Amino acid sequence: MTDSKPTLADWQAAAAKEVKGKDLIWATPEGIDVKPLYTAEDVAGIDPGLPGFAPFTRGVRASMYAGRPWTIRQYAGFSTAEESNAFYHRNLKAGQKGLSVAFDLATHRGYDSDHPRVTGDVGKAGVAIDSVEDMKILFDGIPLDQMSVSMTMNGAVIPILAFFIVAGEEQGVPQAQLDGTIQNDILKEFMVRNTYIYPPEPSMRIISDIFAYTSANMPKFNSISISGYHMQEAGATQVQELAFTIADGMEYVKYGVASGLDIDKFAGRLSFFFAIGMNFFMEIAKLRAARVLWHRVMTKLGAKDERSKMLRTHCQTSGVSLTEQDPYNNVMRTTIEAMAAMLGGTQSLHTNALDEAIALPTDFSARIARNTQIVIQEETGMTKVVDPLGGSYYVEALTQELVDRAWEIIERVDAEGGMAKAVAAGWPKAMIEEAAAAKAARIDRKEEIIVGVNKYRLADEEPIDILEVDNHAVREAQIARINRVKAARDEAAAQAALDALRKGAAAKENLLALAVEAARKRATLGEISAAMEDVFGRYGTSPTPVKGVYGGAYGDDARWAQLVDGVAAVGRRKGRRPRMLVAKMGQDGHDRGANLVSSAFGDLGFEVVAGPLFQTPQEAADLAIKSDVDVVGASSLAAGHKTLIPELIGLLRQAGRSDIKVVAGGVIPAQDYQFLRDAGVQGIFGPGTNLVDAAGEVLRLLGHNIPPEGIEEAAE
């Protein structure tokens, strides 16, 4: 008897016998067929090289974490500069190594806290910054010549960076010593996040001006962080996130070169920012593929310096993967995602807190999130080996698959004139929204399992303690400080600096240089933004929900068919289809939830009025009345629901239209439900709500009674 080496055919026969004919191929949302077994044949011809050497597949540094771990850089900011500063000091004392600043939505959109459009937004989803004085308080006691600071800012990037520079100067730190990163990624904003201010062309000019200024004055500072994070959060597949992020980077480099900059003088200061979701190996392969693609792109664009071709990235664990239901599961999710970021070779990392599906993190949850990284670094031995998954048949094959699929999209973008033109044409946004709708449908149909949400659901949910910001108190404090700053400044000098900024915007002078001078004269963020808006205008768009994706996923599903019949019955009774306004009030531009609602309800037969972004309650009420809707679905993701939705209901009542039903959906803590019901909200749909169930509830509000158990029976 002789021993023989088993063949692949032997394994296939054994596996087929074990699973009794079940197909083990996994078709991912990216369209990749993942096999249950990978062998040397799958990586024939693939050479990932060595860490620290081109094309940097295995990492940008030869020693990677064996030499120095990634930077723990927790993204945080809330309420006032004083509150955020105290939070930063606590985190730094507890082991955090870098700062990452979250600004409130009023700041993102270029409004001072006293502007009437931002009454529900001040201090809620980040820290309010109106002037240099706020920025100085934010970094009080934090030496800016020793601390690396990352700032997530895109729309109001000019005044925020100007304030940072002046705050450093007045702390005694020259610009050349400032270390950190500004996000400054406006193409992504037009595609998914929507915290833009100006039209695309002047927005791209702003990026070039920042490249030029920082190249000349701030050699340690990263002038842009090209972000795929918000794409994945908006529903993009990992292939889409990868392709569009690299294509965005290509576009920014082209604009920098076109403005007269030497590619190798600024490209080495560009950095990236990726989301890390729950598809563990896909995320690892994505970061490896990103480095390969960026090296290829920068070589094609003419870079000579290898540092210009080296993709360095920050990562953040997914917010979308967090659940309101059974929230302690989020600790495990974040741990898994943190490990994927580490194994993929990130340079810095933020780990989300367990309560961030419903609110800003408390000190308790923030400590767990931060310590997740510290435990991985200090206790596991994971940092001792460089790229430990290098050579894995699966990981190497998956990396190459992502490179090839993303490159197809990048080539399409390039052939059609670049990412700015693609964004203007709208097809990347549409592609992402179709992917988001398909994912939502898979979750609702339990084809994709979310533990504690659509499977293993707890019978009773215990509320957890959450952080709540007193929006009214924060706004009053900010307005008082604005008034003090204006009273103390040399008004003529401030206005002269703002006039110079206006003239410079028209004359194509460097906007950041002019804004720094205005900041020194104590011009506010709103004033600096408005001076540029006088020349550039303010950009606005209305959502265009995708059609057919959600409904197509249900096909002949009896549950779906029952709801379609219900919508038709309401339509027959009314003499027209039931009409719903999906309203986005306040300055929150995250429109994934609103677009999913519009898509699902539209596919069911509702006539959907997709309201424009950034409405005030008055504007939403006026549109609801003008459109003669039956129901308003108010989408809230940024904690403005206790201010904006009650105001909307009051305005409808004042106009004699209390017959218009108001429902609310999004990131709304269960503790706030009774407050909203008392204000007149007739349906509340929190994170993880099944949209088909939500449609049944809305139909009942409109007088068509479909018992919940009837829907469940139809689903069976």
Side-chain angles (χ1 to χ4, degrees):
M1 183 175 179
T2 60
D3 293 329
S4 61
K5 183 179 180 181
T7 66
L8 183 59
D10 293 330
W11 174 84
Q12 289 170 334
K17 183 178 180 181
E18 289 174 1
V19 299
K20 297 181 173 63
K22 179 182 176 183
D23 186 4
L24 293 179
I25 298 292
W26 173 37
T28 75
E30 291 76 18
I32 297 172
D33 286 339
V34 174
K35 302 183 298 182
L37 178 69
Y38 284 77
T39 69
E41 293 180 8
D42 294 294
V43 296
I46 296 175
D47 178 10
L50 291 170
F53 293 89
F56 308 108
T57 313
R58 301 194 65 187
V60 295
R61 290 167 44 228
S63 61
M64 286 301 288
Y65 311 139
R68 186 184 70 196
W70 66 91
T71 300
I72 299 172
R73 190 187 300 279
Q74 293 298 89
Y75 177 57
F78 59 93
S79 183
T80 62
E82 292 91 343
E83 291 282 347
S84 294
N85 175 262
F87 187 78
Y88 294 159
H89 277 285
R90 292 195 297 273
N91 278 6
L92 291 170
K93 186 177 180 180
Q96 185 173 312
K97 299 300 183 184
L99 294 180
S100 183
V101 182
F103 299 96
D104 74 356
L105 290 165
T107 303
H108 273 288
R109 294 270 293 147
Y111 294 116
D112 284 337
S113 297
D114 59 359
H115 198 284
R117 297 195 74 87
V118 300
T119 54
D121 297 300
V122 176
K124 293 295 282 188
V127 61
I129 298 293
D130 294 309
S131 70
V132 169
E133 298 306 320
D134 288 328
M135 191 70 81
K136 288 172 67 176
I137 294 168
L138 187 67
F139 296 115
D140 184 41
I142 298 172
L144 293 178
D145 56 345
Q146 300 174 36
M147 181 61 59
S148 172
V149 177
S150 174
M151 294 180 285
T152 299
M153 178 52 64
N154 302 281
V157 64
I158 288 287
I160 285 295
L161 190 48
F163 292 168
F164 179 69
I165 290 167
V166 175
E169 288 176 351
E170 297 186 6
Q171 200 185 83
V173 180
Q175 296 181 31
Q177 292 183 26
L178 293 173
D179 187 5
T181 303
I182 190 85
Q183 192 164 98
N184 193 26
D185 178 2
I186 204 66
L187 286 173
K188 166 263 302 176
E189 297 296 326
F190 290 119
M191 216 185 316
V192 291
R193 189 163 174 258
N194 300 313
T195 55
Y196 44 69
I197 300 174
Y198 313 109
E201 187 174 343
S203 296
M204 293 297 289
R205 173 196 161 180
I206 284 170
I207 290 171
S208 296
D209 282 1
I210 290 173
F211 284 176
Y213 187 95
T214 54
S215 294
N217 301 289
M218 303 168 70
K220 296 173 66 178
F221 198 80
N222 298 319
S223 51
I224 194 168
S225 175
I226 304 148
S227 174
Y229 183 87
H230 304 96
M231 297 181 200
Q232 188 180 138
E233 292 291 280
T237 67
Q238 276 88 339
V239 167
Q240 292 166 354
E241 178 194 6
L242 177 58
F244 292 138
T245 305
I246 297 297
D248 278 350
M250 285 179 64
E251 192 80 348
Y252 295 135
V253 171
K254 288 178 182 177
Y255 267 78
V257 171
S259 69
L261 296 174
D262 181 334
I263 189 170
D264 286 315
K265 295 295 185 185
F266 72 90
R269 302 310 304 172
L270 309 186
S271 66
F272 287 78
F273 175 30
F274 285 103
I276 303 295
M278 285 297 287
N279 192 341
F280 185 74
F281 289 104
M282 190 74 75
E283 294 293 8
I284 294 166
K286 182 186 73 183
L287 296 185
R288 302 170 96 252
R291 292 191 287 271
V292 174
L293 288 166
W294 188 240
H295 188 273
R296 182 185 297 180
V297 161
M298 293 304 288
T299 301
K300 182 180 177 182
L301 291 176
K304 305 299 183 189
D305 188 339
E306 284 300 299
R307 182 172 172 78
S308 299
K309 307 176 187 180
M310 183 188 295
L311 182 145
R312 295 161 301 109
T313 190
H314 172 71
C315 290
Q316 180 173 339
T317 60
S318 174
V320 167
S321 72
L322 303 178
T323 65
E324 177 191 34
Q325 298 83 0
D326 207 357
Y328 291 104
N329 288 338
N330 294 333
V331 177
M332 287 83 83
R333 292 185 177 104
T334 294
T335 302
I336 290 165
E337 291 167 351
M339 289 172 58
M342 181 274 296
L343 290 167
T346 190
Q347 278 60 68
S348 62
L349 178 62
H350 167 96
T351 33
N352 284 332
L354 66 94
D355 48 2
E356 288 188 72
I358 49 177
L360 292 168
T362 62
D363 277 4
F364 170 78
S365 66
R367 180 174 61 85
I368 294 172
R370 181 185 60 251
N371 285 356
T372 299
Q373 295 193 55
I374 295 173
V375 168
I376 292 173
Q377 287 187 355
E378 301 288 351
E379 296 187 23
T380 64
M382 291 184 184
T383 62
K384 306 302 183 185
V385 176
V386 180
D387 188 29
L389 292 183
S392 156
Y393 297 146
Y394 177 35
V395 170
E396 298 296 356
L398 193 55
T399 299
Q400 188 61 48
E401 184 83 21
L402 287 172
V403 167
D404 294 343
R405 287 176 178 265
W407 189 248
E408 290 178 6
I409 297 175
I410 293 167
E411 286 189 314
R412 177 186 171 185
V413 170
D414 204 29
E416 295 184 15
M419 201 61 193
K421 289 186 177 178
V423 169
W427 65 265
K429 182 177 180 66
M431 187 182 287
I432 290 170
E433 289 181 358
E434 288 177 4
K439 181 179 178 69
R442 289 195 303 273
I443 292 170
D444 283 355
R445 287 173 57 82
K446 301 183 181 179
E447 295 165 359
E448 190 169 316
I449 298 303
I450 309 295
V451 174
V453 176
N454 62 4
K455 195 173 183 180
Y456 311 111
R457 183 78 181 258
L458 291 176
D460 297 300
E461 296 276 355
E462 289 291 329
I464 60 173
D465 291 332
I466 62 169
L467 177 68
E468 182 166 2
V469 173
D470 186 342
N471 164 247
H472 297 288
V474 174
R475 187 164 186 261
E476 288 175 4
Q478 288 301 120
I479 291 172
R481 184 175 292 143
I482 291 170
N483 291 338
R484 289 196 298 272
V485 168
K486 289 184 176 180
R489 73 188 183 185
D490 182 333
E491 188 63 26
Q495 293 303 325
L498 290 168
D499 286 340
L501 178 57
R502 283 188 199 89
K503 292 174 183 175
K508 297 195 183 304
E509 297 177 38
N510 190 285
L511 294 168
L512 181 54
L514 292 165
V516 168
E517 186 58 32
R520 290 184 181 125
K521 302 302 183 185
R522 284 342 190 232
T524 68
L525 176 134
E527 290 174 323
I528 293 171
S529 298
M532 292 187 289
E533 186 179 339
D534 289 343
V535 179
F536 301 145
R538 183 171 281 265
Y539 188 72
T541 57
S542 293
T544 305
V546 298
K547 297 179 180 178
V549 175
Y550 209 97
Y554 275 83
D556 297 328
D557 187 279
R559 180 189 194 191
W560 181 267
Q562 187 180 28
L563 289 169
V564 170
D565 290 344
V567 173
V570 173
R572 287 191 296 273
R573 191 177 74 243
K574 285 182 166 292
R576 60 164 175 78
R577 290 190 293 158
R579 192 173 294 142
M580 179 179 190
L581 167 64
V582 178
K584 282 288 295 179
M585 296 180 289
Q587 298 305 306
D588 173 35
H590 293 88
D591 57 357
R592 176 180 183 167
N595 289 339
L596 288 175
V597 170
S598 296
S599 298
F601 277 64
D603 286 354
L604 280 167
F606 279 81
E607 182 181 337
V608 175
V609 179
L613 300 177
F614 315 122
Q615 285 189 307
T616 63
Q618 183 67 65
E619 289 165 343
D622 291 345
L623 182 58
I625 293 166
K626 178 183 176 183
S627 303
D628 191 26
V629 301
D630 305 299
V631 60
V632 176
S635 174
S636 175
L637 294 179
H641 52 271
K642 291 176 73 173
T643 301
L644 301 171
I645 297 175
E647 185 177 343
L648 168 67
I649 293 170
L651 289 166
L652 290 172
R653 287 172 177 167
Q654 289 174 24
R657 291 303 309 270
S658 56
D659 60 300
I660 296 176
K661 312 288 193 286
V662 175
V663 299
V667 181
I668 302 174
Q671 292 92 316
D672 292 348
Y673 283 14
Q674 194 56 52
F675 174 90
L676 292 176
R677 291 187 182 111
D678 292 343
V681 174
Q682 298 190 43
I684 302 172
F685 307 106
T689 294
N690 183 302
L691 288 178
V692 177
D693 290 346
E697 291 293 328
V698 171
L699 279 176
R700 279 190 286 278
L701 287 176
L702 298 180
H704 189 83
N705 189 34
I706 301 177
E709 61 271 17
I711 296 176
E712 294 300 325
E713 288 168 7
E716 296 298 326

